[in-house]
Amino acid sequence: MDISQHDANSKPNRSGGPVFELYTIPSHSSWFRWDDIHETERFALKEFFDGSSISRTPKIYKEYRDFMINKYREEPSRRLTFTQVRKSLVGDVSLLHKVFNFLDKWGLINFVATASDDTDKLEGITMKDQVRVEQGAPNGVRVGAMPNSLRPMSPPHSGGEGRMVDGENGFKLPPLASYSDVFGDLMKLKRLKCMSCGEKCDSGCYEYSKGSFIICVECFKNGNYGEDKSMDDFNLTDNNRINVTHGSTWTEAETLLLLESVMKHGDDWELVAQNVKTKSKLDCISKLIELPFGELMMGSGHGRFSPDGSTVTTNIATHGLMTSSEHQDTKVGDQVHEKMNKTEQNGDAASQEPPAKRIRITSLSDAGSSLMKQVALISTMGGPHITAVAAEAAITALCDESSCPREIFDDNEEAAQINASETKEASSLSGSQETATENNDIPLTLRIRAATATALGAAAANAKLLADQEDREIEHLVATMIETQLKKLHCKIKHFEDLELIMEKEYVEMLELKECLVAERIDVLQRALSAGVSRWRDHTFIKSQNDRIV
Amino acid sequence: MKLLATSSSKAPVKFRMPTADNLVPIRLDIETEGQRYKDAFTWNPSDPDSEVVVFAKRTVKDLKLPPQFITQIAQSIQSQLTEFRSYEGQDMYTAEKIVPIKLDLRVNHTLIKDQFLWDLNNYESDPEDFARTFCKDLAIQDPEVGPAIAFAIREQLYEIAIQSVASAREIKISKKGRRGVEHFPASKAGGNALDLMKLFRYNSSVVRKRKEWDVYEPIVDILSNEEVDALEASEERNTR
């Protein structure tokens, strides 16, 4: 049998769920079907199909085959060995081996797996299956992973988990980007805490040159230097300087600055680098490329829009593509929806929130249009009215918490109501947003809560909508059922009516027949009488005849 | 289908090893003049008996054993062959018999424990092939392990075949008094044969429960030199 393996057919066959996984099998095995046994199989594995034993039936063969193929497909890149499957199947091992070889030959298993021949077997086989001759273990000590399995003789690889294990020594950040985003910022802020008055040193701080003592600008001015320290010993360190990092690490603030500058200056990298003071021109360009939509920005400058709603900075990217008038009712909820969108679509929502919100609030007039598109997306999920309602609910919740958001949103609302035209909306948006920039210090938790409130609201609204829909459907179905029942009864009644009609007709016919008969009888009698048959005989004879007729 | 099964294959077959190759497992354990020779291998019973002596001579020469071994080896092999041949004319029942085979052996530094099922009725089964697959799947480096596994399987099959012959004889004797078809093979012949009816029922699955997978999984241990010595010492103590 030719094994033409270069022409592989990919065939989707995990039909259990909505996701179809593709597994390649050679084209000469395309006869294979999960729910059927092909002639090829019957021919090659006759033992199962000749009824010679109750341990060999088609059903059993199918179970063996399905189990082996599924077992292989759990890990298609790894070569499935016979020993792995035979422990899980009841039956003669030689027969199982035959089935295994059959499947292997036809490429239904181990088709994609690395051809593990003697040379790379040692790499291909997992620790569990591997047997190695060990030379120098300590006497009487056996290193075991599990009591019953093969014992790996070399210490297990301490792979990426080494970092986590070090937890006892000090807090080591787990290697997730979101953690470093969130906690990195916090750590940095902590560092900037003034040591004499205890406040945060955002704008700049003075560092004691002879030790690690930091005081804020105010303290420096006021002369609160701390014990035994004089003015000369303190060096001013700018916020920017503290943030001076190696060219490769970018903080959120820097990214924000970069994006803003790119928006403003487009391809003029000199200006961009100037704006982002801490990074060189090359750094800016490379960072921009790294960002998911960066190339779009560089290419088009302003006109492009990334459809991926979950990237942080899509709201900055576009300039003037306002779409339908649907904006009007949903515009109020734009910003809030943005937050909601983030929480819904980002796994590490919390960490992404702060940069997202900061960027959003300081974004330029373009923000509105991109948000529209985002909201359009959300509306498809939940319906525009739902999103509007959810947004309003979230806004009221927000407003209850503090007055700053109220200002922002109230400004927005007024703007929306007053101005219907696009440009005016945009300008008022930006106007309100500029005021909002001053109130930049909305606490983190508030924003998060707002976001989650919106998310929950939207989800609840969506659920309610679905529930209503279900109810209506149920009603509809019940109505249909009742209708059908009625129809059925109606048909039955009609049927019976028809039967009655037929009965009546037959009855009428019967009567006629009877009359006819009687008439004939009378006729016969008359003839008999006229022929002169005796009356005595006639009487009894006729009587008996009459009795019989009647 | 059940009826078909019972009628066609319950007939007795002539005794032979229920494998593709009718090879006899031969075990040697000879001790002379303070030297001990232990070996286990398979022999083809259709080879002429002259081969036995040739083999013995060659073995002694290769292993540099004292010449007394030649006759002893030859004798041992010969007696085992004769025993095998004595069973050959007789009937045995292998229909519908799937038996558990257990491996529990030590070959140099490798310790193997395993359990699996073997169909006695499958005359195409091949212990050597099974052993080859076993060693390949588990990447066993020692080339002596494979033949040892095959030998162990053969030995057990041989035992079971002998038992089957014996029970067939008993059944014949008891059958003389009665007429009629009986369901004897499942119950009488071999206490360790699996109840196929229960296992391969229509509504039961042939996929084992996960918790049983460990039981039927092969366990291969590599021992250190000290452990090997310790085990050998205890084995000697047991055999003495």
Side-chain angles (χ1 to χ4, degrees):
Chain A
M1 194 91 42
D2 289 333
I3 312 283
S4 54
Q5 305 223 348
H6 47 267
D7 182 22
N9 237 352
S10 59
K11 177 172 132 42
N13 52 16
R14 279 272 175 93
S15 53
V19 177
F20 282 91
E21 301 171 49
L22 296 184
Y23 299 95
T24 37
I25 60 171
S27 55
H28 54 263
S29 300
S30 54
W31 45 261
F32 173 71
R33 294 282 172 274
W34 278 107
D35 42 10
D36 195 15
I37 299 175
H38 193 258
E39 276 309 304
T40 322
E41 301 169 277
R42 284 178 196 272
F43 183 72
L45 296 161
K46 289 198 189 71
E47 302 93 338
F48 289 100
F49 302 102
D50 53 12
S52 53
S53 163
I54 63 161
S55 66
R56 296 193 288 268
T57 64
K59 169 183 173 277
I60 288 173
Y61 162 68
K62 190 167 180 303
E63 277 197 74
Y64 288 158
R65 174 195 82 178
D66 293 348
F67 181 84
M68 288 190 194
I69 295 180
N70 282 328
K71 190 92 185 149
Y72 166 63
R73 289 184 177 175
E74 282 173 18
E75 188 63 61
S77 58
R78 188 192 61 170
R79 186 175 180 84
L80 184 71
T81 60
F82 173 61
T83 310
Q84 283 170 305
V85 285
R86 63 125 158 130
K87 70 181 181 201
S88 322
L89 294 171
V90 175
D92 177 32
V93 288
S94 309
L95 193 61
L96 286 170
H97 198 36
K98 201 166 171 192
V99 176
F100 184 84
N101 285 339
F102 171 78
L103 293 174
D104 199 12
K105 184 181 91 163
W106 281 93
L108 292 166
I109 57 179
N110 289 337
F111 184 54
V112 183
T114 54
S116 76
D117 284 340
D118 309 56
T119 46
D120 45 26
K121 217 193 307 187
L122 282 173
E123 289 104 49
I125 293 183
T126 60
M127 286 291 279
K128 196 173 184 304
D129 292 347
Q130 196 167 5
V131 170
R132 274 180 277 162
V133 180
E134 165 264 329
Q135 299 293 336
N139 298 347
V141 172
R142 225 182 255 177
V143 178
M146 282 173 357
N148 234 4
S149 69
L150 292 173
R151 304 181 189 198
M153 283 302 155
S154 62
H157 293 299
S158 59
E161 299 174 14
R163 256 190 287 175
M164 294 296 281
V165 175
D166 286 346
E168 307 95 317
N169 302 340
F171 179 68
K172 280 255 165 65
L173 294 173
L176 291 175
S178 56
Y179 275 74
S180 52
D181 280 346
V182 173
F183 294 115
D185 280 345
L186 285 180
M187 302 264 272
K188 278 199 192 123
L189 285 172
K190 257 200 226 162
R191 265 191 294 147
L192 299 180
K193 211 170 170 188
C194 172
M195 290 197 187
S196 55
C197 64
E199 286 183 6
K200 284 196 276 190
C201 316
D202 288 320
S203 48
C205 63
Y206 282 85
E207 205 176 322
Y208 190 48
S209 54
K210 292 178 196 160
S212 61
F213 197 76
I214 298 174
I215 57 171
C216 63
V217 179
E218 277 73 32
C219 290
F220 187 75
K221 283 188 201 144
N222 299 341
N224 295 344
Y225 301 138
E227 307 134 31
D228 305 328
K229 296 178 185 73
S230 64
M231 196 161 94
D232 306 320
D233 295 334
F234 280 89
N235 299 322
L236 174 66
T237 50
D238 266 340
N239 232 359
N240 289 337
R241 279 249 305 256
I242 285 175
N243 286 340
V244 168
T245 45
H246 191 265
S248 56
T249 57
W250 279 72
T251 63
E252 305 300 332
E254 288 172 335
T255 322
L256 169 60
L257 269 175
L258 167 69
L259 291 163
E260 279 185 346
S261 356
V262 172
M263 286 298 300
K264 244 193 291 180
H265 308 297
D267 284 335
D268 194 346
W269 296 107
E270 297 294 329
L271 290 172
V272 171
Q274 267 178 27
N275 251 354
V276 186
K277 300 175 194 79
T278 55
K279 294 285 186 290
S280 72
K281 195 166 66 163
L282 287 171
D283 283 330
C284 295
I285 300 174
S286 52
K287 176 65 182 173
L288 198 63
I289 295 173
E290 277 170 33
L291 291 173
F293 63 95
E295 299 197 20
L296 287 171
M297 286 201 60
M298 296 210 308
S300 66
H302 306 284
R304 224 54 96 57
F305 173 74
S306 157
D308 180 5
S310 64
T311 57
V312 168
T313 48
T314 47
N315 47 4
I316 294 182
T318 68
H319 202 19
L321 302 175
M322 307 286 254
T323 47
S324 63
S325 60
E326 152 187 294
H327 303 331
Q328 312 236 324
D329 24 334
T330 54
K331 209 187 76 53
V332 174
D334 283 352
Q335 286 178 327
V336 189
H337 284 301
E338 191 67 5
K339 295 172 198 165
M340 176 195 78
N341 198 5
K342 297 292 175 286
T343 47
E344 276 185 342
Q345 298 188 10
N346 292 341
D348 306 316
S351 63
Q352 300 248 14
E353 286 306 329
K357 284 174 187 140
R358 249 183 267 146
I359 291 172
R360 198 175 18 258
I361 288 169
T362 58
S363 63
L364 307 176
S365 58
D366 323 304
S369 57
S370 60
L371 287 170
M372 306 298 178
K373 294 264 168 112
Q374 306 257 351
V375 164
L377 261 173
I378 301 164
S379 311
T380 55
M381 295 194 296
H385 304 291
I386 308 300
T387 47
V389 170
E392 285 189 44
I395 289 165
T396 42
L398 261 182
C399 292
D400 291 348
E401 305 238 344
S402 80
S403 56
C404 310
R406 192 192 293 274
E407 278 179 89
I408 300 170
F409 292 127
D410 283 349
D411 280 344
N412 271 353
E413 283 206 29
E414 283 165 10
Q417 275 143 23
I418 294 168
N419 303 314
S421 71
E422 297 175 0
T423 49
K424 281 186 189 158
E425 276 176 10
S427 60
S428 59
L429 244 188
S430 62
S432 58
Q433 279 159 0
E434 272 152 22
T435 58
T437 53
E438 286 145 23
N439 306 325
N440 209 356
D441 274 335
I442 298 170
L444 184 67
T445 51
L446 177 66
R447 284 183 236 153
I448 292 174
R449 273 149 76 188
T452 48
T454 332
L456 288 171
N462 202 10
K464 175 100 188 6
L465 178 69
L466 286 172
D468 286 341
Q469 210 175 2
E470 286 286 329
D471 277 341
R472 269 179 276 136
E473 267 206 46
I474 290 170
E475 281 176 27
H476 179 68
L477 287 172
V478 167
T480 330
M481 264 185 356
I482 294 173
E483 224 185 276
T484 329
Q485 292 277 36
L486 280 172
K487 275 196 199 148
K488 194 166 95 174
L489 282 172
H490 188 66
C491 282
K492 279 193 183 164
I493 291 171
K494 195 158 167 303
H495 185 61
F496 282 125
E497 281 178 12
D498 287 343
L499 278 175
E500 267 195 51
L501 241 107
I502 293 171
M503 287 279 292
E504 280 180 21
K505 283 198 188 139
E506 282 194 15
Y507 185 64
V508 163
E509 271 180 38
M510 290 281 289
L511 283 176
E512 281 179 19
L513 200 58
K514 188 177 160 188
E515 280 183 30
C516 188
L517 279 173
V518 168
E520 271 190 37
R521 183 66 205 146
I522 291 171
D523 195 33
V524 167
L525 280 175
Q526 276 183 351
R527 292 227 197 107
L529 271 173
S530 58
V533 182
S534 74
R535 269 171 52 187
W536 183 81
R537 259 204 357 225
D538 278 346
H539 184 64
T540 50
F541 183 66
I542 289 167
K543 199 166 186 277
S544 66
Q545 288 295 329
N546 275 346
D547 284 346
R548 259 197 269 151
I549 288 175
V550 175
Chain B
M1 200 154 66
K2 258 198 196 170
L3 291 173
L4 259 172
T6 52
S7 59
S8 64
S9 51
K10 286 262 160 78
V13 282
K14 290 297 165 201
F15 177 83
R16 53 156 284 168
M17 285 294 287
T19 57
D21 311 307
N22 190 19
L23 302 174
V24 186
I26 305 272
R27 198 181 265 282
L28 296 176
D29 188 359
I30 301 169
E31 188 153 1
T32 314
E33 294 184 12
Q35 280 190 324
R36 195 152 173 222
Y37 169 58
K38 272 186 84 167
D39 201 357
F41 50 85
T42 50
W43 188 269
N44 189 346
S46 50
D47 275 350
D49 284 348
S50 51
E51 284 295 315
V52 177
V53 183
V54 172
F55 172 81
K57 283 197 184 141
R58 208 174 32 229
T59 312
V60 165
K61 196 172 99 173
D62 289 341
L63 299 174
K64 298 191 180 43
L65 300 167
Q68 292 87 334
F69 272 94
I70 301 179
T71 40
Q72 299 211 332
I73 292 172
Q75 258 176 11
S76 179
I77 299 176
Q78 195 66 266
S79 61
Q80 294 185 52
L81 276 178
T82 331
E83 191 188 338
F84 178 79
R85 294 211 177 99
S86 70
Y87 289 110
E88 259 186 334
Q90 310 185 22
D91 294 338
M92 65 174 184
Y93 288 99
T94 56
E96 303 286 1
K97 242 178 23 160
I98 296 188
V99 294
I101 302 271
K102 288 198 174 65
L103 296 179
D104 187 3
L105 50 119
R106 183 183 68 78
V107 180
N108 300 337
H109 287 261
T110 315
L111 192 71
I112 294 180
K113 277 195 176 45
D114 196 3
Q115 212 191 132
F116 46 87
L117 300 171
W118 198 278
D119 184 1
L120 280 190
N121 213 20
N122 185 359
Y123 287 92
E124 292 166 7
S125 59
D126 193 355
E128 278 74 28
D129 182 42
F130 178 83
R132 253 198 306 275
T133 317
F134 189 95
C135 293
K136 188 172 84 140
D137 287 347
L138 298 173
I140 294 177
Q141 315 280 8
D142 192 352
E144 292 187 34
V145 173
I149 294 175
F151 182 83
I153 296 172
R154 271 194 196 277
E155 249 195 331
Q156 294 185 46
L157 291 176
Y158 186 36
E159 283 294 321
I160 295 169
I162 292 174
Q163 278 178 15
S164 166
V165 168
S167 56
R169 226 182 293 149
E170 285 174 24
I171 288 163
K172 263 217 194 83
I173 295 167
S174 64
K175 202 180 166 187
K176 277 197 176 132
R178 287 176 284 165
R179 288 282 143 206
V181 185
E182 293 157 21
H183 293 284
F184 39 77
S187 52
K188 271 203 187 173
N192 56 352
L194 295 180
D195 190 353
L196 292 186
M197 304 289 170
K198 217 194 294 178
L199 269 181
F200 291 103
R201 252 198 328 233
Y202 185 68
N203 52 350
S204 69
S205 164
V206 284
V207 180
R208 281 209 183 97
K209 301 193 187 66
R210 246 171 221 271
K211 57 186 179 187
E212 290 181 7
W213 286 10
D214 288 338
V215 178
Y216 288 89
E217 198 174 357
I219 298 170
V220 179
D221 279 339
I222 310 287
L223 309 171
S224 67
N225 292 330
E226 291 78 6
E227 288 164 338
V228 171
D229 293 338
L231 274 173
E232 277 183 356
S234 63
E235 277 166 19
E236 293 214 358
R237 259 181 275 125
N238 288 344
T239 51
R240 290 285 162 83

